[in-house]
Amino acid sequence: MSVPPDVPVVVLAQGRTRTEQQLIREWVAANHRGAPIRDLDSDASFDDLSDDTLLVPVRVTWVSTASSSRRPSELLAHLSPRRPPGPLQKVLMRNSPGRAGVVRGEPATVGDLRARFAEETGNASSFATYVSRVATVAVDRAERRLIGDRYKVPRQVVEQITASSRFRAKAAELAKQLDRPEADVLADLRECLNELVTVQSPAAIDAFRTVLSPMHSRAWKVQVDTSNLERLRAMNKEQALVFLPAHRSYVDPLVLAEVLHEQDFPRNHLLGGNNMSFWPIGPLGKRAGVIFIRRADTDAAGDAIYKFALREYLGYLTAKKFNLEWYIEGGRTRTGKLRPPKMGLLAYLVRALQDERTEDVAMVPVSIVYDHMAEVRALDAEQGGAAKAAESTRWLARYVRGQQRMSGNAWIRFGEPFSLRSALDEAGEGPAQLDKVAFRICDGINRATPVTSSALMTFTLLGSHDRALTLAEVGRVLAPLLDYLDARGIPRTDSDPASPHSLREQAGLRAALDQLVAVGVATVFTGGPEPVWSIQAGQHRVAAFYRNGALHHLVTRAIVELALLEVSAKPVCESSIAEAWAEAQRMRDLLKFEFFFPPSEQFRADVVKELQLLDPNWENQDGPDGGAKILSSSRLLVAHRALRSFFDAQLVVATALAERDPAAEVVTGPFLEECLGLGQQMLLRGRLHRADSVSRELYSSALRLARHRGLLETAAPGSGEDEAVQAARHDYLAEVTDVLERLGRIDRLEADLLEEVLG
């Protein structure tokens, strides 16, 4: 930028050592000879400067260089590559002149800055502090052009937020609502913001990656679908991206961060629970972009202040186009499929749009799946009733030790991004607006999720009716499912036919089965003429975890199978394939707390596609046995394998409610414990199909459905309402029993099909 000679210039310099200050003086002599130099970080007044004075912010930036030098100075410098220790800087500059350079931020006149200061802060703070803050941000932006977008550093955030006149007006409103002095509320807000705000130090980011890399680097080879990344990069120039990944493992944020780092995306601001803020994750994470969020405050006023601070911080970050990341499920999946979404952070982000803090943000569903995970066994134990292990430094050491064996691949796919503002408009006004947006996110994650080989292998072995299969038999049973997935265009991790891991080839099948054996999910018997594989005893819930990661691709097909069987059971005068619509909708309602379904019109279209895949001539198969004929002629039936464990869990909850006094309150924790005991007993008595249905998570989902249906209401004995509650609970039990009877019929059809396939 050329500056006319008659324009006065003042250089605002950020030089922390003698070497850096000398570099800045040399730069000023070459570019703005005679210009005075002021300390960028000082609070000195600018009253002596005219409005046309141009302020030029500069800083010395150090970069790592490839070097084979073994000099002690070089080795020590690489311990802190972003800013070498002061005593070494002069030596480094002599040996490696390219290690440092002066970067200049966007200049601005004093007059322009005074106008912006008045507009943004209402002159409620120090102009000198404001100039220092703006200059620092300008230099940060210039520095990113040198070191890359992956280091996008927010500075002086608390000051920027609290200096805003809009913020102070909102804080005054909050103080009035809480009936507290405004100064006290402002002080508490500042304290909350200091707790929340993370400053992304490039050195801390690198240290964070180095210290925590053993949690994932040896366990998986990361496979990334990069097809959407250029589109995301272009969108990121205009607005913040909000990455919303599926949550399967503690290492999800580390894996995603490494992928984005390698692709030179700015580091996300990751929002996570403060249960992970122990040493060393807490101190490093705080300076590497992690925002540790506390649990709900027991003090109502304190909770209101904290939530306000968090909303303001999210609004600030999105307004400044800093990318965000959080896990909408609120915790790791315990069953292998997506959990119901938590709405809190999404509601705060929507509030930022409604308050015009930012024009828009792009929501990015992200799928993260793993071939195998060591922590699945801990998740399995929790489903059986065990307490979750508390995170701590000792826990971290144990976790890292468990991650030292290769477990296959981690698969990262970026779903279809969408505008949050447009999604809100499409969802319409009303209480369901936020739910619709959250479900769109979850549906986007599911659609992006590929079917892994471990999911396909466990789906096959769990559906073998406790029969061990040879390698050739596994291939014959699996082939119709692979054909179905290909017909639907559903991504698979083995889909490359040239890949040695293709499940259409015996070598790929053998490798996938051997890996299941290696991790203890399956067992192989080699004492006969040829090896046979089956699920390891006691590992059905673990196997179901991997299987469940693919079920969202199969649930509509399974619902269609159930609907067709129901239609076939009706008298001739009532029977029509068209009636399958109502039954499919009823099945969808029964499963609404287990799976994420698209809007009704899309669901109807999906049902038609499934009918066409089952039988292209399905519309001409009317009559009392039309639906049954379609199922009997199919090469693939999935309903029993896909849905039995979920309806078995509903059977346990429905039975527990039907046997419960309507006057007794249903308290979630104790009731789930009761269901675990009842479920185990029903399993031992043969009333449940498999052990994977004895699951706290599945009972919790069934309980949400019962609450939605009003089945948890209490009623006094003899009030008349008690009989209504009891009748509704028995109706629910009868409904679930009817579905299970149909699943049993499909299971028998599938057993016949299995016999035919295996000969």
Side-chain angles (χ1 to χ4, degrees):
M1 175 181 175
S2 176
V3 180
D6 58 334
V7 173
V9 172
V10 172
V11 174
L12 303 181
Q14 200 171 54
R16 296 182 175 88
T17 66
R18 291 182 179 179
T19 300
E20 291 181 356
Q21 291 164 5
Q22 179 60 33
L23 287 170
I24 290 171
R25 284 194 293 270
E26 293 172 358
W27 183 89
V28 171
N31 293 274
H32 298 287
R33 182 181 299 274
I37 301 174
R38 295 192 180 186
D39 184 359
L40 186 153
D41 296 320
S42 75
D43 287 331
S45 170
F46 291 90
D47 292 344
D48 59 322
L49 302 180
S50 61
D51 282 353
D52 63 342
T53 301
L54 191 68
L55 301 182
V56 180
V58 299
R59 175 194 299 156
V60 173
T61 295
W62 295 81
V63 295
S64 297
T65 58
S67 172
S68 59
S69 172
R70 290 289 180 250
R71 292 188 182 96
S73 60
E74 283 285 348
L75 295 175
L76 286 171
H78 278 277
L79 293 176
S80 179
R82 300 301 167 198
R83 170 161 286 128
L88 297 178
Q89 290 180 357
K90 187 173 182 180
V91 177
L92 288 172
M93 287 301 298
R94 183 171 60 248
N95 296 328
S96 304
R99 284 294 304 272
V102 175
V103 295
R104 185 196 67 177
E106 186 69 25
T109 66
V110 172
D112 287 342
L113 288 170
R114 288 194 186 280
R116 288 165 54 187
F117 171 66
E119 180 182 353
E120 294 175 18
T121 72
N123 295 310
S125 60
S126 163
F127 178 62
T129 302
Y130 176 81
V131 171
S132 175
R133 184 166 66 239
V134 171
T136 300
V137 171
V139 176
D140 286 342
R141 289 172 179 162
E143 190 175 54
R144 285 204 306 278
R145 290 193 288 270
L146 183 63
I147 64 176
D149 278 343
R150 67 190 65 174
Y151 299 112
K152 186 174 181 180
V153 182
R155 296 183 187 273
Q156 301 178 336
V157 175
V158 176
E159 290 77 6
Q160 291 185 58
I161 294 174
T162 56
S164 161
S165 56
R166 190 202 61 82
F167 174 87
R168 290 178 174 270
K170 292 280 187 181
E173 291 178 14
L174 179 60
K176 187 175 181 180
Q177 293 170 11
L178 299 176
D179 194 23
R180 291 187 55 191
E182 184 177 335
D184 290 354
V185 170
L186 279 170
D188 288 350
L189 283 169
R190 180 177 287 274
E191 183 179 342
C192 290
L193 285 168
N194 280 320
E195 177 186 332
L196 287 166
V197 167
T198 174
V199 178
Q200 293 181 340
S201 157
I205 290 172
D206 291 342
F208 190 79
R209 294 171 57 226
T210 301
V211 169
L212 296 185
S213 66
M215 291 182 69
H216 67 91
S217 59
R218 297 179 184 176
W220 297 283
K221 182 179 179 180
V222 179
Q223 307 285 351
V224 186
D225 177 8
T226 60
S227 58
N228 253 345
L229 288 181
E230 284 308 312
R231 181 181 176 190
L232 293 177
R233 200 186 311 279
M235 295 174 73
N236 206 183
K237 296 181 184 301
E238 305 297 328
Q239 58 194 312
L241 303 179
V242 181
F243 292 89
L244 298 154
H247 201 7
R248 296 177 179 273
S249 169
Y250 281 110
V251 304
D252 293 338
L254 304 178
V255 173
L256 180 58
E258 202 63 24
V259 167
L260 295 175
H261 183 89
E262 290 173 357
Q263 296 293 329
D264 200 30
F265 274 79
R267 189 171 183 86
N268 295 341
H269 281 70
L270 168 66
L271 293 104
N274 62 0
N275 59 305
M276 296 296 292
S277 62
F278 58 86
W279 187 91
I281 295 178
L284 277 175
K286 181 78 170 174
R287 297 189 61 78
V290 183
I291 304 168
F292 293 105
I293 302 174
R294 66 168 80 153
R295 300 300 189 232
D297 200 317
T298 54
D299 170 51
D303 192 42
I305 290 173
Y306 183 80
K307 288 179 178 179
F308 176 76
L310 180 55
R311 286 198 303 270
E312 288 297 306
Y313 186 33
L314 291 184
Y316 166 84
L317 290 172
T318 53
K320 298 295 184 182
K321 297 183 175 57
F322 287 102
N323 293 343
L324 303 179
E325 173 190 341
W326 76 77
Y327 293 76
I328 197 165
E329 299 162 89
R332 295 169 300 152
T333 174
R334 266 59 176 175
T335 62
K337 64 180 185 60
L338 283 182
R339 304 176 91 184
K342 302 291 186 182
M343 303 296 187
L345 292 174
L346 182 60
Y348 293 166
L349 192 60
V350 169
R351 180 74 173 270
L353 260 67
Q354 293 170 340
D355 289 348
E356 302 298 332
R357 296 295 310 281
T358 183
E359 184 175 338
D360 200 2
V361 296
M363 312 299 278
V364 187
V366 183
S367 165
I368 305 178
V369 291
Y370 305 86
D371 286 341
H372 300 283
M373 292 167 44
E375 62 200 88
V376 171
R377 280 179 171 71
L379 299 173
D380 168 52
E382 290 176 29
Q383 292 317 292
K388 177 177 176 288
E391 295 85 357
S392 64
T393 303
R394 181 175 296 179
W395 165 88
L396 178 62
R398 289 197 303 269
Y399 186 91
V400 170
R401 283 197 299 271
Q403 296 291 99
Q404 300 310 296
R405 188 172 77 173
M406 174 59 67
S407 296
N409 295 299
W411 305 88
I412 315 296
R413 291 174 64 93
F414 297 90
E416 193 67 22
F418 62 90
S419 155
L420 178 55
R421 192 173 291 281
S422 296
L424 290 168
D425 291 341
E426 292 172 16
E429 298 293 334
Q433 184 187 54
L434 205 61
D435 289 335
K436 291 177 181 178
V437 174
F439 274 56
R440 179 170 175 177
I441 293 165
C442 294
D443 186 54
I445 294 171
N446 276 338
R447 290 180 183 274
T449 300
V451 179
T452 64
S453 296
S454 54
L456 291 167
M457 290 295 97
T458 51
F459 190 85
T460 300
L461 294 178
L462 284 170
S464 67
H465 294 79
D466 295 324
R467 177 175 178 170
L469 302 178
T470 67
L471 187 65
E473 288 171 341
V474 170
R476 288 201 296 272
V477 173
L478 184 60
L481 180 57
L482 296 180
D483 292 342
Y484 168 79
L485 295 175
D486 288 346
R488 287 268 315 275
I490 294 171
R492 304 197 322 266
T493 59
D494 75 303
S495 57
D496 183 358
S499 167
H501 302 293
S502 171
L503 295 183
R504 293 197 182 271
E505 304 296 331
Q506 285 204 349
L509 281 176
R510 182 63 188 258
L513 288 167
D514 287 347
Q515 185 63 26
L516 277 181
V517 173
V519 297
V521 176
T523 183
V524 58
F525 178 75
T526 58
E530 57 181 314
V532 291
W533 285 265
S534 60
I535 297 298
Q536 177 80 265
Q539 295 300 305
H540 287 81
R541 235 180 355 232
V542 174
F545 180 95
Y546 294 114
R547 176 204 64 189
N548 291 351
L551 289 190
H552 58 276
H553 291 303
L554 304 174
V555 65
T556 303
R557 167 65 172 250
I559 285 175
V560 167
E561 292 175 10
L562 283 170
L564 285 173
L565 207 55
E566 174 68 7
V567 167
S568 296
K570 293 189 175 184
V572 176
C573 61
E574 297 179 10
S575 179
S576 168
I577 292 295
E579 293 178 21
W581 291 119
E583 183 60 19
Q585 185 63 50
R586 190 166 73 88
M587 291 299 99
R588 169 180 163 152
D589 288 342
L590 278 172
L591 294 166
K592 67 193 299 180
F593 291 96
E594 288 292 357
F595 298 97
F596 299 97
F597 294 98
S600 295
E601 288 304 312
Q602 180 62 51
F603 179 66
R604 287 171 66 90
D606 291 345
V607 168
V608 170
K609 290 178 184 177
E610 293 296 347
L611 285 166
Q612 291 171 339
L613 287 172
L614 268 166
D615 184 351
N617 196 37
W618 64 273
E619 292 178 288
N620 298 321
Q621 292 283 5
D622 241 355
D625 298 317
K629 289 176 182 176
I630 290 176
L631 295 183
S632 297
S633 63
S634 174
R635 294 176 58 239
L636 174 69
L637 296 172
V638 303
H640 184 266
R641 284 185 282 173
L643 300 181
R644 181 61 188 258
S645 58
F646 303 102
F647 281 113
D648 270 354
Q650 289 197 29
L651 177 66
V652 172
V653 170
T655 300
L657 288 173
E659 296 175 351
R660 194 179 188 84
D661 183 348
E665 181 183 2
V666 177
V667 181
T668 299
F671 183 79
L672 293 178
E673 290 297 322
E674 177 186 333
C675 288
L676 283 170
L678 176 61
Q680 187 63 39
Q681 183 194 66
M682 292 173 70
L683 178 67
L684 293 172
R685 298 183 64 188
R687 294 186 61 194
L688 303 182
H689 183 65
R690 258 193 331 263
D692 53 283
S693 64
V694 183
S695 162
R696 181 189 295 272
E697 188 93 348
L698 297 189
Y699 297 151
S700 180
S701 297
L703 190 61
R704 284 195 294 273
L705 175 64
R707 180 177 288 108
H708 177 74
R709 290 184 161 207
L711 302 181
L712 305 190
E713 299 294 331
T714 58
S719 64
E721 294 180 1
D722 59 333
E723 295 181 2
V725 170
Q726 196 71 353
R729 291 177 178 180
H730 279 281
D731 287 346
Y732 174 46
L733 176 59
E735 187 176 8
V736 173
T737 302
D738 171 69
V739 175
L740 287 169
E741 189 276 329
R742 269 183 282 158
L743 285 173
R745 289 174 60 190
I746 293 175
D747 184 32
R748 290 189 289 275
L749 288 173
E750 189 177 22
D752 294 340
L753 180 61
L754 185 66
E755 288 295 335
E756 182 182 333
V757 170
L758 300 182

